Amino acid sequence: MQPERGDVARSSDPFKLGTGRQRPWLIVNNETHPFDGEQYIAVAISTKAYDDSLALSADVWETGGALGHRTSPHGLYTLHEVRISSPGKAA
């Protein structure tokens, strides 16, 4: 299943070292992205609160959830399809 805008996907975390380098990411690009289906622009989801981060409350989740998590606009990243696992949906 290919992720779409608004999906939350797990992928490797370029900001961490060592084992357990997975992180949830919010997909923000759409089908007009030149590499849609192969690469996805995403923002990091974190438990840390930063001035510009947005809280993800329980009511934004269509399935699953991550209470206490926030999107982190400083954590913009390009995910490659082959590294994405466990896509979910945020409304």
Side-chain angles (χ1 to χ4, degrees):
M1 176 176 135
Q2 291 185 337
E4 299 173 352
R5 185 182 184 117
D7 285 352
V8 174
R10 292 193 73 74
S11 184
S12 58
D13 187 344
F15 311 117
K16 291 182 182 178
L17 299 173
T19 60
R21 295 183 49 209
Q22 288 271 311
R23 162 182 298 281
W25 298 89
L26 175 65
I27 306 296
V28 295
N29 71 281
N30 61 26
E31 65 279 348
T32 63
H33 182 267
F35 301 105
D36 185 53
E38 296 174 32
Q39 294 180 356
Y40 301 89
I41 299 172
V43 293
I45 295 178
S46 176
T47 55
K48 293 181 182 175
Y50 299 96
D51 289 340
D52 295 330
S53 60
L54 302 171
L56 297 175
S57 60
D59 62 335
V60 303
W61 295 91
E62 195 173 289
T63 60
L67 293 175
H69 284 72
R70 302 173 164 273
T71 60
S72 300
H74 70 281
L76 190 63
Y77 190 64
T78 302
L79 302 179
H80 296 269
E81 181 188 22
V82 295
R83 294 187 175 165
I84 296 174
S85 62
S86 308
K89 268 286 199 219

